[in-house]
Amino acid sequence: MRVAMIGTGYVGLVSGACFADFGHTVTCIDTNEAKIAGLREGKMPIFEPGLDVLVAKNVREQRLFFDTKAAEAVRNADAVFIAVGTPSRRGDGHADLTYVFAAAEEIAKLIDGFTVIVTKSTVPVGTGDEIEAIVHRVRPDADFAVVSNPEFLREGAAIDDFKHPDRVVVGSDDERARAVMQDLYRPLYLNETPIMFTDRRTSELTKYAGNAFLAMKITFINEIADLCEAVGANVQHVARGIGLDKRIGSKFLNASPGYGGSCFPKDTLALVTTARTANSPMTLVEATVTANDRRKKSMADRIVNALGGDAVGKTVGILGLTFKPNTDDMRDSPSLDIVPALLAAGAVVQAFDPEGMTEAASLLPGIALKDGAYDVADGADVLVILTEWDQFRALDLSRIKSAMRAPRLVDLRNIYKREEITRHGFDYFSIGRP
Ligand code: NAD
Ligand code: UGA
Protein backbone atom coordinates (compact mmCIF):
# COMPACT_ATOMS: atom_id res chain seq x y z
CA MET A 1 0.00 0.00 0.00
CA ARG A 2 1.06 3.60 -0.46
CA VAL A 3 1.04 5.81 2.61
CA ALA A 4 1.54 9.56 3.06
CA MET A 5 2.35 10.64 6.60
CA ILE A 6 1.65 14.31 7.28
CA GLY A 7 3.86 15.35 10.21
CA THR A 8 7.23 13.71 10.85
CA GLY A 9 7.54 14.04 14.63
CA TYR A 10 7.76 11.34 17.30
CA VAL A 11 4.62 9.64 16.03
CA GLY A 12 4.81 10.37 12.30
CA LEU A 13 8.42 9.31 11.92
CA VAL A 14 8.13 6.15 14.02
CA SER A 15 4.80 5.09 12.43
CA GLY A 16 6.11 5.90 8.95
CA ALA A 17 9.30 3.91 9.45
CA CYS A 18 7.38 0.95 10.94
CA PHE A 19 4.77 0.90 8.15
CA ALA A 20 7.66 0.94 5.65
CA ASP A 21 9.24 -1.94 7.53
CA PHE A 22 5.95 -3.84 7.16
CA GLY A 23 6.51 -3.51 3.39
CA HIS A 24 4.37 -0.48 2.55
CA THR A 25 5.71 2.48 0.57
CA VAL A 26 5.70 5.52 2.84
CA THR A 27 6.47 9.20 2.35
CA CYS A 28 6.90 11.20 5.55
CA ILE A 29 6.09 14.86 5.01
CA ASP A 30 6.92 17.80 7.23
CA THR A 31 6.78 21.56 6.82
CA ASN A 32 10.03 21.81 8.79
CA GLU A 33 12.60 21.94 5.98
CA ALA A 34 15.61 21.44 8.23
CA LYS A 35 14.06 18.27 9.64
CA ILE A 36 13.42 16.80 6.19
CA ALA A 37 16.85 17.83 4.89
CA GLY A 38 18.43 16.14 7.92
CA LEU A 39 16.39 12.97 7.47
CA ARG A 40 17.44 12.78 3.84
CA GLU A 41 21.04 12.78 5.10
CA GLY A 42 20.27 10.11 7.67
CA LYS A 43 20.13 12.49 10.68
CA MET A 44 17.39 11.70 13.19
CA PRO A 45 15.51 14.75 14.50
CA ILE A 46 14.74 12.94 17.78
CA PHE A 47 16.41 10.40 20.01
CA GLU A 48 14.48 7.15 19.92
CA PRO A 49 16.33 3.84 20.38
CA GLY A 50 16.63 1.86 17.15
CA LEU A 51 15.02 4.51 14.97
CA ASP A 52 18.16 5.45 13.03
CA VAL A 53 18.76 1.84 11.98
CA LEU A 54 15.12 1.26 11.03
CA VAL A 55 14.97 4.47 8.98
CA ALA A 56 18.28 3.76 7.22
CA LYS A 57 17.18 0.23 6.30
CA ASN A 58 13.87 1.32 4.81
CA VAL A 59 15.38 4.27 2.96
CA ARG A 60 18.00 1.94 1.50
CA GLU A 61 15.33 -0.52 0.43
CA GLN A 62 13.35 2.34 -1.15
CA ARG A 63 10.20 2.04 0.89
CA LEU A 64 10.67 5.21 2.97
CA PHE A 65 10.89 8.73 1.54
CA PHE A 66 10.93 12.24 2.99
CA ASP A 67 9.49 15.41 1.51
CA THR A 68 8.45 18.93 2.43
CA LYS A 69 5.83 18.92 -0.34
CA ALA A 70 2.79 16.73 0.09
CA ALA A 71 1.42 16.82 -3.46
CA GLU A 72 2.86 13.74 -5.11
CA ALA A 73 2.71 11.42 -2.11
CA VAL A 74 -0.87 12.39 -1.22
CA ARG A 75 -2.08 12.09 -4.81
CA ASN A 76 -0.74 8.53 -5.02
CA ALA A 77 -1.67 7.44 -1.50
CA ASP A 78 -4.18 4.78 -0.47
CA ALA A 79 -4.03 6.23 3.05
CA VAL A 80 -2.98 9.69 4.23
CA PHE A 81 -2.18 9.88 7.94
CA ILE A 82 -2.43 13.09 9.92
CA ALA A 83 0.28 12.93 12.62
CA VAL A 84 0.76 16.61 13.44
CA GLY A 85 0.86 18.05 16.95
CA THR A 86 -2.27 18.75 19.02
CA PRO A 87 -0.82 20.82 21.89
CA SER A 88 -2.86 22.41 24.67
CA ARG A 89 -4.63 25.55 23.52
CA ARG A 90 -3.60 28.62 25.51
CA GLY A 91 -6.26 29.67 27.96
CA ASP A 92 -8.70 26.79 28.15
CA GLY A 93 -6.38 23.78 27.87
CA HIS A 94 -8.39 22.18 25.07
CA ALA A 95 -6.56 20.53 22.18
CA ASP A 96 -5.37 23.08 19.63
CA LEU A 97 -6.49 21.68 16.28
CA THR A 98 -4.94 24.37 14.09
CA TYR A 99 -2.33 21.99 12.62
CA VAL A 100 -4.85 19.19 12.11
CA PHE A 101 -7.29 21.39 10.22
CA ALA A 102 -4.52 22.96 8.13
CA ALA A 103 -3.35 19.46 7.19
CA ALA A 104 -6.93 18.45 6.31
CA GLU A 105 -7.31 21.46 3.98
CA GLU A 106 -4.08 20.63 2.25
CA ILE A 107 -4.93 16.94 1.89
CA ALA A 108 -8.35 17.83 0.47
CA LYS A 109 -6.77 19.80 -2.35
CA LEU A 110 -4.48 16.93 -3.31
CA ILE A 111 -6.27 13.59 -3.04
CA ASP A 112 -7.01 11.67 -6.19
CA GLY A 113 -9.26 8.60 -6.31
CA PHE A 114 -10.65 6.90 -3.20
CA THR A 115 -8.40 7.92 -0.29
CA VAL A 116 -8.55 7.05 3.39
CA ILE A 117 -7.67 10.03 5.60
CA VAL A 118 -6.51 8.70 8.96
CA THR A 119 -6.15 10.74 12.14
CA LYS A 120 -3.24 9.39 14.13
CA SER A 121 -2.87 12.62 16.07
CA THR A 122 -4.73 12.53 19.39
CA VAL A 123 -7.88 14.53 18.70
CA PRO A 124 -11.05 15.25 20.70
CA VAL A 125 -14.32 13.50 19.97
CA GLY A 126 -15.94 14.91 16.87
CA THR A 127 -12.71 16.02 15.16
CA GLY A 128 -13.19 13.36 12.47
CA ASP A 129 -16.56 14.94 11.65
CA GLU A 130 -14.89 18.33 11.32
CA ILE A 131 -12.16 16.96 9.06
CA GLU A 132 -14.83 15.33 6.92
CA ALA A 133 -16.65 18.68 6.63
CA ILE A 134 -13.43 20.47 5.65
CA VAL A 135 -12.65 17.98 2.90
CA HIS A 136 -16.24 18.15 1.58
CA ARG A 137 -16.08 21.94 1.53
CA VAL A 138 -12.68 22.17 -0.19
CA ARG A 139 -13.30 19.31 -2.63
CA PRO A 140 -17.00 18.53 -3.06
CA ASP A 141 -16.07 15.92 -5.69
CA ALA A 142 -13.57 13.97 -3.55
CA ASP A 143 -14.00 10.26 -2.86
CA PHE A 144 -12.69 9.70 0.67
CA ALA A 145 -13.34 8.39 4.16
CA VAL A 146 -12.05 9.82 7.44
CA VAL A 147 -10.85 7.19 9.93
CA SER A 148 -9.69 7.51 13.53
CA ASN A 149 -6.65 5.36 14.34
CA PRO A 150 -5.15 6.61 17.60
CA GLU A 151 -1.55 5.79 18.43
CA PHE A 152 -0.60 4.18 21.74
CA LEU A 153 3.19 4.10 21.46
CA ARG A 154 5.41 5.35 24.29
CA GLU A 155 8.51 7.39 23.68
CA GLY A 156 11.67 5.43 24.37
CA ALA A 157 9.93 2.16 23.45
CA ALA A 158 8.18 3.47 20.37
CA ILE A 159 9.26 0.95 17.75
CA ASP A 160 8.47 -2.07 19.88
CA ASP A 161 5.14 -0.54 20.92
CA PHE A 162 4.22 0.13 17.29
CA LYS A 163 5.23 -3.30 16.07
CA HIS A 164 3.88 -5.28 19.02
CA PRO A 165 0.94 -3.27 20.32
CA ASP A 166 -1.58 -4.61 22.80
CA ARG A 167 -4.24 -3.59 20.29
CA VAL A 168 -4.97 -1.43 17.27
CA VAL A 169 -8.11 0.70 17.37
CA VAL A 170 -9.77 1.74 14.12
CA GLY A 171 -12.81 4.02 14.10
CA SER A 172 -14.82 4.01 10.88
CA ASP A 173 -18.16 2.81 9.55
CA ASP A 174 -16.92 2.81 5.96
CA GLU A 175 -16.32 -0.72 4.65
CA ARG A 176 -13.81 0.36 2.00
CA ALA A 177 -11.82 2.28 4.61
CA ARG A 178 -11.89 -0.65 7.04
CA ALA A 179 -10.48 -2.90 4.29
CA VAL A 180 -7.61 -0.46 3.65
CA MET A 181 -6.83 -0.28 7.39
CA GLN A 182 -6.89 -4.07 7.63
CA ASP A 183 -4.37 -4.32 4.78
CA LEU A 184 -2.13 -1.72 6.38
CA TYR A 185 -2.04 -3.57 9.69
CA ARG A 186 -2.08 -7.07 8.18
CA PRO A 187 1.42 -7.95 9.53
CA LEU A 188 0.10 -7.35 13.06
CA TYR A 189 -3.10 -9.16 12.34
CA LEU A 190 -1.05 -12.22 11.41
CA ASN A 191 0.67 -11.87 14.80
CA GLU A 192 -2.78 -12.02 16.36
CA THR A 193 -2.78 -8.45 17.62
CA PRO A 194 -6.41 -7.59 18.34
CA ILE A 195 -7.62 -5.04 15.80
CA MET A 196 -10.71 -3.41 17.17
CA PHE A 197 -13.08 -1.82 14.70
CA THR A 198 -15.53 0.67 16.10
CA ASP A 199 -17.16 3.96 15.17
CA ARG A 200 -15.06 7.09 14.83
CA ARG A 201 -16.22 8.92 17.95
CA THR A 202 -15.68 5.88 20.15
CA SER A 203 -12.18 5.47 18.76
CA GLU A 204 -11.34 9.13 19.40
CA LEU A 205 -12.57 8.90 22.98
CA THR A 206 -10.79 5.57 23.58
CA LYS A 207 -7.42 7.28 23.14
CA TYR A 208 -8.18 9.94 25.77
CA ALA A 209 -9.73 7.42 28.13
CA GLY A 210 -6.59 5.26 27.91
CA ASN A 211 -4.18 8.10 28.66
CA ALA A 212 -6.40 9.50 31.43
CA PHE A 213 -6.66 6.10 33.08
CA LEU A 214 -2.88 5.65 33.07
CA ALA A 215 -2.36 9.18 34.41
CA MET A 216 -4.89 8.43 37.15
CA LYS A 217 -3.15 5.17 38.03
CA ILE A 218 0.19 6.97 38.45
CA THR A 219 -1.43 9.71 40.50
CA PHE A 220 -3.11 7.12 42.68
CA ILE A 221 0.18 5.44 43.54
CA ASN A 222 1.79 8.83 44.11
CA GLU A 223 -0.87 9.67 46.68
CA ILE A 224 -0.40 6.24 48.26
CA ALA A 225 3.33 7.09 48.40
CA ASP A 226 2.55 10.26 50.35
CA LEU A 227 0.36 8.25 52.69
CA CYS A 228 3.14 5.67 53.11
CA GLU A 229 5.47 8.47 54.21
CA ALA A 230 2.89 9.71 56.70
CA VAL A 231 2.17 6.32 58.26
CA GLY A 232 5.49 4.51 57.83
CA ALA A 233 4.72 2.05 55.02
CA ASN A 234 6.54 1.12 51.80
CA VAL A 235 4.94 2.16 48.50
CA GLN A 236 6.92 -0.34 46.43
CA HIS A 237 5.55 -3.19 48.51
CA VAL A 238 2.03 -1.76 48.34
CA ALA A 239 2.37 -1.46 44.54
CA ARG A 240 3.50 -5.08 44.30
CA GLY A 241 0.80 -6.19 46.67
CA ILE A 242 -1.96 -4.61 44.63
CA GLY A 243 -0.32 -5.10 41.22
CA LEU A 244 -0.32 -8.87 41.58
CA ASP A 245 -4.10 -8.65 41.51
CA LYS A 246 -4.68 -9.19 37.78
CA ARG A 247 -7.66 -6.87 37.89
CA ILE A 248 -5.29 -4.03 38.85
CA GLY A 249 -2.07 -5.05 37.05
CA SER A 250 1.49 -4.18 38.07
CA LYS A 251 2.37 -1.64 35.37
CA PHE A 252 2.33 2.14 35.88
CA LEU A 253 2.50 1.82 39.64
CA ASN A 254 5.94 3.41 40.06
CA ALA A 255 5.77 6.34 42.45
CA SER A 256 7.44 9.37 40.91
CA PRO A 257 7.80 13.15 40.92
CA GLY A 258 4.61 13.24 38.85
CA TYR A 259 3.84 12.32 35.25
CA GLY A 260 5.12 14.57 32.49
CA GLY A 261 5.66 14.31 28.76
CA SER A 262 3.99 15.51 25.63
CA CYS A 263 0.77 13.60 26.19
CA PHE A 264 -0.59 12.82 29.67
CA PRO A 265 -0.64 16.47 30.81
CA LYS A 266 -2.24 17.84 27.63
CA ASP A 267 -4.58 14.89 27.05
CA THR A 268 -5.98 14.85 30.59
CA LEU A 269 -6.66 18.59 30.28
CA ALA A 270 -8.34 18.15 26.91
CA LEU A 271 -10.53 15.33 28.24
CA VAL A 272 -11.58 17.47 31.18
CA THR A 273 -12.58 20.22 28.74
CA THR A 274 -14.47 17.83 26.45
CA ALA A 275 -16.33 16.40 29.44
CA ARG A 276 -17.26 19.80 30.85
CA THR A 277 -18.46 20.98 27.46
CA ALA A 278 -20.62 17.87 27.21
CA ASN A 279 -22.03 18.53 30.71
CA SER A 280 -20.60 15.22 31.86
CA PRO A 281 -17.65 16.21 34.07
CA MET A 282 -14.81 13.75 34.67
CA THR A 283 -14.20 14.52 38.33
CA LEU A 284 -11.56 11.80 38.75
CA VAL A 285 -9.52 13.18 35.87
CA GLU A 286 -9.91 16.74 37.16
CA ALA A 287 -8.56 15.62 40.52
CA THR A 288 -5.72 13.81 38.76
CA VAL A 289 -4.68 16.96 36.89
CA THR A 290 -4.73 19.04 40.07
CA ALA A 291 -2.86 16.46 42.15
CA ASN A 292 -0.18 15.94 39.53
CA ASP A 293 0.42 19.69 39.06
CA ARG A 294 0.69 20.10 42.82
CA ARG A 295 3.05 17.15 43.07
CA LYS A 296 5.46 18.41 40.42
CA LYS A 297 5.56 21.81 42.13
CA SER A 298 6.11 20.29 45.58
CA MET A 299 9.18 18.27 44.59
CA ALA A 300 11.55 21.24 44.92
CA ASP A 301 10.48 21.55 48.59
CA ARG A 302 11.59 17.98 49.23
CA ILE A 303 15.02 18.82 47.89
CA VAL A 304 15.22 22.01 49.95
CA ASN A 305 14.12 20.04 53.02
CA ALA A 306 16.88 17.51 52.37
CA LEU A 307 19.25 20.50 52.54
CA GLY A 308 17.92 21.34 55.99
CA GLY A 309 15.34 23.86 54.80
CA ASP A 310 17.63 26.44 53.22
CA ALA A 311 18.94 26.22 49.66
CA VAL A 312 20.59 29.63 49.45
CA GLY A 313 24.06 29.23 48.02
CA LYS A 314 23.79 25.44 48.09
CA THR A 315 24.68 23.39 45.03
CA VAL A 316 22.05 20.93 43.79
CA GLY A 317 23.19 18.28 41.32
CA ILE A 318 20.46 16.84 39.10
CA LEU A 319 20.67 13.59 37.18
CA GLY A 320 18.13 13.40 34.37
CA LEU A 321 16.06 16.22 32.90
CA THR A 322 13.84 14.53 30.30
CA PHE A 323 10.35 13.43 31.36
CA LYS A 324 11.39 9.77 31.18
CA PRO A 325 14.47 7.79 30.10
CA ASN A 326 15.35 6.91 26.49
CA THR A 327 13.99 10.10 24.99
CA ASP A 328 15.31 13.61 24.43
CA ASP A 329 11.80 15.01 24.95
CA MET A 330 11.51 17.69 27.64
CA ARG A 331 7.84 18.56 27.08
CA ASP A 332 6.13 19.02 30.47
CA SER A 333 9.01 17.28 32.21
CA PRO A 334 8.94 17.55 36.03
CA SER A 335 12.40 19.15 35.70
CA LEU A 336 10.73 22.23 34.20
CA ASP A 337 8.91 22.79 37.52
CA ILE A 338 11.63 21.62 39.87
CA VAL A 339 14.69 23.41 38.48
CA PRO A 340 13.21 26.95 38.32
CA ALA A 341 11.84 26.51 41.87
CA LEU A 342 15.31 25.52 43.11
CA LEU A 343 16.87 28.52 41.39
CA ALA A 344 14.20 30.76 42.92
CA ALA A 345 15.06 29.30 46.33
CA GLY A 346 18.64 30.50 45.86
CA ALA A 347 20.29 27.22 44.87
CA VAL A 348 23.01 26.75 42.30
CA VAL A 349 21.92 23.97 39.94
CA GLN A 350 24.18 21.71 37.89
CA ALA A 351 22.76 18.89 35.82
CA PHE A 352 23.33 16.16 33.27
CA ASP A 353 20.99 14.24 30.99
CA PRO A 354 22.19 11.61 28.50
CA GLU A 355 20.03 12.92 25.62
CA GLY A 356 18.23 16.03 26.82
CA MET A 357 21.10 18.53 27.00
CA THR A 358 20.32 20.44 23.80
CA GLU A 359 16.70 21.01 24.81
CA ALA A 360 17.69 21.74 28.41
CA ALA A 361 20.13 24.41 27.31
CA SER A 362 17.27 26.51 25.94
CA LEU A 363 14.49 25.51 28.37
CA LEU A 364 16.45 25.74 31.61
CA PRO A 365 18.63 28.84 31.46
CA GLY A 366 20.62 29.55 34.58
CA ILE A 367 21.85 26.03 35.24
CA ALA A 368 25.28 24.57 34.56
CA LEU A 369 25.18 21.58 32.20
CA LYS A 370 27.83 19.01 33.06
CA ASP A 371 29.46 16.12 31.22
CA GLY A 372 28.25 13.22 33.33
CA ALA A 373 27.02 12.01 36.70
CA TYR A 374 30.36 12.41 38.48
CA ASP A 375 30.78 15.99 37.23
CA VAL A 376 27.30 16.75 38.53
CA ALA A 377 28.23 15.35 41.94
CA ASP A 378 31.35 17.50 42.05
CA GLY A 379 30.93 20.04 44.89
CA ALA A 380 27.20 19.29 45.27
CA ASP A 381 25.40 19.57 48.60
CA VAL A 382 22.72 17.21 47.38
CA LEU A 383 22.40 14.88 44.40
CA VAL A 384 18.92 14.33 42.94
CA ILE A 385 17.91 11.44 40.68
CA LEU A 386 15.12 12.94 38.65
CA THR A 387 14.93 10.64 35.62
CA GLU A 388 15.75 6.93 35.91
CA TRP A 389 18.20 6.54 33.01
CA ASP A 390 19.91 3.12 33.22
CA GLN A 391 23.34 4.73 33.55
CA PHE A 392 22.28 6.23 36.92
CA ARG A 393 21.28 2.85 38.36
CA ALA A 394 24.75 1.59 39.24
CA LEU A 395 26.75 4.68 40.15
CA ASP A 396 30.11 4.28 41.90
CA LEU A 397 28.83 5.55 45.23
CA SER A 398 32.28 5.95 46.79
CA ARG A 399 33.35 8.15 43.90
CA ILE A 400 30.12 10.14 44.09
CA LYS A 401 30.54 10.63 47.84
CA SER A 402 34.10 11.83 47.61
CA ALA A 403 33.15 14.31 44.88
CA MET A 404 30.28 15.84 46.87
CA ARG A 405 30.48 18.59 49.46
CA ALA A 406 27.92 16.72 51.56
CA PRO A 407 26.72 13.16 50.86
CA ARG A 408 22.96 13.50 50.39
CA LEU A 409 20.92 11.65 47.79
CA VAL A 410 17.32 12.45 46.87
CA ASP A 411 16.07 9.54 44.78
CA LEU A 412 12.80 10.64 43.17
CA ARG A 413 12.50 7.35 41.24
CA ASN A 414 13.29 4.86 44.02
CA ILE A 415 16.04 3.20 42.00
CA TYR A 416 18.31 2.57 44.99
CA LYS A 417 17.88 0.61 48.21
CA ARG A 418 18.20 2.56 51.42
CA GLU A 419 20.65 0.04 52.94
CA GLU A 420 23.17 0.26 50.11
CA ILE A 421 23.12 4.06 50.10
CA THR A 422 23.33 4.53 53.86
CA ARG A 423 26.11 1.93 54.02
CA HIS A 424 28.16 4.40 51.98
CA GLY A 425 27.42 7.13 54.50
CA PHE A 426 24.81 9.09 52.57
CA ASP A 427 21.70 10.73 53.91
CA TYR A 428 19.04 9.16 51.71
CA PHE A 429 15.58 10.48 50.79
CA SER A 430 13.28 8.53 48.50
CA ILE A 431 9.57 8.42 47.68
CA GLY A 432 7.06 6.63 49.86
CA ARG A 433 9.52 4.37 51.63
CA PRO A 434 10.46 4.31 55.29
P1 NAD B 1 5.68 16.46 17.17
O1 NAD B 1 5.55 17.86 17.60
O2 NAD B 1 6.91 15.70 17.52
O3 NAD B 1 5.57 16.39 15.56
C1 NAD B 1 4.59 17.03 14.81
C2 NAD B 1 5.21 17.39 13.45
O4 NAD B 1 4.18 17.84 12.56
C3 NAD B 1 6.24 18.53 13.51
O5 NAD B 1 7.47 18.08 12.97
C4 NAD B 1 5.62 19.64 12.64
O6 NAD B 1 6.59 20.39 11.94
C5 NAD B 1 4.75 18.83 11.70
N1 NAD B 1 3.66 19.57 11.06
C6 NAD B 1 2.77 20.43 11.62
N2 NAD B 1 1.88 20.84 10.68
C7 NAD B 1 2.20 20.23 9.51
C8 NAD B 1 1.64 20.21 8.19
N3 NAD B 1 0.57 20.92 7.88
N4 NAD B 1 2.25 19.45 7.25
C9 NAD B 1 3.33 18.73 7.56
N5 NAD B 1 3.91 18.68 8.77
C10 NAD B 1 3.33 19.42 9.75
O7 NAD B 1 4.39 15.71 17.69
P2 NAD B 1 4.24 14.18 18.19
O8 NAD B 1 4.80 14.03 19.55
O9 NAD B 1 4.69 13.28 17.10
O10 NAD B 1 2.65 14.09 18.33
C11 NAD B 1 1.81 14.10 17.21
C12 NAD B 1 0.42 13.66 17.64
O11 NAD B 1 0.46 12.29 18.08
C13 NAD B 1 -0.17 14.43 18.83
O12 NAD B 1 -1.55 14.56 18.65
C14 NAD B 1 0.12 13.55 20.02
O13 NAD B 1 -0.80 13.72 21.07
C15 NAD B 1 -0.04 12.18 19.41
N6 NAD B 1 0.73 11.12 20.10
C16 NAD B 1 2.01 11.35 20.46
C17 NAD B 1 2.76 10.34 21.07
C18 NAD B 1 4.18 10.56 21.52
O14 NAD B 1 4.73 9.68 22.16
N7 NAD B 1 4.81 11.68 21.23
C19 NAD B 1 2.16 9.08 21.26
C20 NAD B 1 0.84 8.88 20.85
C21 NAD B 1 0.13 9.91 20.25
C1 UGA C 1 2.17 7.80 27.11
C2 UGA C 1 1.40 6.47 27.05
O1 UGA C 1 2.06 5.50 27.85
C3 UGA C 1 1.31 5.97 25.61
O2 UGA C 1 0.54 4.78 25.56
C4 UGA C 1 0.66 7.04 24.76
O3 UGA C 1 0.64 6.65 23.39
C5 UGA C 1 1.46 8.32 24.87
O4 UGA C 1 1.52 8.74 26.26
C6 UGA C 1 0.81 9.43 24.11
O5 UGA C 1 -0.38 9.48 23.97
O6 UGA C 1 1.60 10.26 23.67
P1 UGA C 1 4.75 8.51 27.06
O7 UGA C 1 4.23 9.85 27.47
O8 UGA C 1 5.70 8.42 25.94
O9 UGA C 1 3.51 7.55 26.68
O10 UGA C 1 5.47 7.83 28.31
P2 UGA C 1 5.01 6.99 29.59
O11 UGA C 1 5.92 5.84 29.70
O12 UGA C 1 3.57 6.71 29.59
O13 UGA C 1 5.34 8.01 30.78
C7 UGA C 1 4.62 9.20 30.95
C8 UGA C 1 4.98 9.83 32.27
O14 UGA C 1 4.48 9.05 33.35
C9 UGA C 1 6.48 9.96 32.51
O15 UGA C 1 6.75 11.21 33.10
C10 UGA C 1 6.79 8.83 33.47
O16 UGA C 1 7.90 9.08 34.29
C11 UGA C 1 5.51 8.79 34.28
N1 UGA C 1 5.28 7.48 34.92
C12 UGA C 1 5.06 6.38 34.18
C13 UGA C 1 5.27 7.41 36.31
O17 UGA C 1 5.47 8.42 37.01
N2 UGA C 1 5.06 6.19 36.90
C14 UGA C 1 4.84 5.06 36.18
O18 UGA C 1 4.63 3.98 36.79
C15 UGA C 1 4.84 5.16 34.78
Side-chain angles (χ1 to χ4, degrees):
M1 305 220 95
R2 302 188 76 87
V3 173
M5 187 68 67
I6 310 290
T8 307
Y10 284 86
V11 164
L13 182 54
V14 170
S15 312
C18 289
F19 275 134
D21 212 46
F22 288 167
H24 303 303
T25 303
V26 181
T27 305
C28 287
I29 294 142
D30 206 287
T31 43
N32 182 331
E33 292 185 2
K35 191 180 267 193
I36 295 300
L39 279 162
R40 284 179 161 170
E41 289 169 11
K43 280 192 220 127
M44 294 304 106
I46 53 169
F47 174 77
E48 180 62 44
L51 188 60
D52 49 354
V53 175
L54 191 74
V55 167
K57 172 181 169 222
N58 285 282
V59 166
R60 197 170 53 240
E61 294 172 6
Q62 299 197 4
R63 288 187 299 268
L64 182 59
F65 303 87
F66 299 102
D67 212 330
T68 50
K69 305 264 179 304
E72 194 186 336
V74 171
R75 204 168 35 241
N76 294 328
D78 301 293
V80 182
F81 282 77
I82 300 177
V84 300
T86 50
S88 283
R89 193 160 65 192
R90 269 167 194 257
D92 64 0
H94 207 31
D96 180 350
L97 296 173
T98 313
Y99 303 107
V100 171
F101 293 153
E105 292 237 4
E106 191 178 8
I107 293 164
K109 290 179 200 147
L110 301 172
I111 49 177
D112 185 21
F114 177 64
T115 309
V116 182
I117 301 171
V118 191
T119 357
K120 214 169 219 344
S121 298
T122 301
V123 294
V125 178
T127 304
D129 302 353
E130 296 189 58
I131 294 173
E132 198 169 83
I134 289 171
V135 180
H136 272 310
R137 175 172 53 73
V138 176
R139 272 284 297 283
D141 63 308
D143 185 15
F144 70 99
V146 177
V147 170
S148 159
N149 171 222
E151 181 49 57
F152 298 101
L153 64 78
R154 288 163 303 163
E155 291 179 19
I159 294 169
D160 196 49
D161 281 354
F162 192 93
K163 288 192 159 189
H164 306 102
D166 289 340
R167 78 313 203 177
V168 171
V169 175
V170 175
S172 170
D173 293 328
D174 185 299
E175 284 308 323
R176 287 186 300 170
R178 285 185 173 203
V180 168
M181 296 306 287
Q182 201 141 20
D183 277 352
L184 274 173
Y185 282 107
R186 186 174 305 283
L188 297 184
Y189 202 60
L190 297 176
N191 286 343
E192 298 183 356
T193 298
I195 304 206
M196 184 185 123
F197 286 97
T198 180
D199 65 90
R200 203 162 57 202
R201 286 181 164 247
T202 304
S203 169
E204 289 167 339
L205 186 55
T206 302
K207 171 65 193 175
Y208 282 99
N211 272 2
F213 192 88
L214 291 170
M216 216 167 62
K217 195 171 179 187
I218 295 166
T219 304
F220 177 82
I221 204 66
N222 281 339
E223 292 203 331
I224 291 285
D226 286 347
L227 184 56
C228 284
E229 286 169 19
V231 301
N234 183 324
V235 71
Q236 282 180 313
H237 293 184
V238 175
R240 184 163 158 73
I242 60 173
L244 285 170
D245 183 331
K246 290 193 181 64
R247 294 169 303 174
I248 295 174
S250 59
K251 294 187 178 154
F252 276 64
L253 285 177
N254 295 314
S256 70
Y259 61 76
S262 66
C263 291
F264 286 171
K266 83 169 169 64
D267 291 347
T268 44
L269 268 184
L271 182 60
V272 163
T273 313
T274 298
R276 279 199 198 147
T277 310
N279 281 325
S280 181
M282 300 269 327
T283 50
L284 289 175
V285 183
E286 290 186 23
T288 297
V289 170
T290 310
N292 193 64
D293 284 348
R294 197 174 47 223
R295 183 167 190 84
K296 287 204 278 187
K297 289 194 169 54
S298 73
M299 285 298 127
D301 293 340
R302 283 180 182 251
I303 298 164
V304 174
N305 287 341
L307 286 166
D310 183 8
V312 177
K314 299 277 173 54
T315 298
V316 179
I318 297 202
L319 298 182
L321 297 166
T322 52
F323 79 98
K324 63 181 284 191
N326 292 322
T327 182
D328 55 356
D329 201 339
M330 293 277 294
R331 288 179 282 184
D332 273 317
S333 174
S335 65
L336 300 180
D337 283 302
I338 295 170
V339 169
L342 290 171
L343 293 172
V348 174
V349 178
Q350 52 194 35
F352 168 72
D353 187 281
E355 294 293 337
M357 302 288 262
T358 312
E359 279 285 283
S362 61
L363 292 173
L364 293 171
I367 69 171
L369 293 172
K370 299 286 182 177
D371 285 337
Y374 300 99
D375 280 347
V376 169
D378 197 17
D381 295 284
V382 60
L383 189 65
V384 181
I385 295 172
L386 189 42
T387 316
E388 70 280 31
W389 286 89
D390 277 349
Q391 62 175 267
F392 302 147
R393 288 178 184 270
L395 293 170
D396 178 342
L397 294 171
S398 306
R399 193 173 155 198
I400 292 279
K401 186 184 172 196
S402 57
M404 291 182 74
R405 192 147 54 202
R408 295 188 190 97
L409 186 65
V410 176
D411 178 2
L412 296 179
R413 300 285 181 171
N414 288 350
I415 61 175
Y416 282 96
K417 292 199 170 82
R418 171 174 297 285
E419 310 80 68
E420 66 179 316
I421 296 290
T422 48
R423 199 171 52 234
H424 281 84
F426 283 81
D427 284 342
Y428 181 62
F429 309 84
S430 63
I431 296 229
R433 298 189 299 182

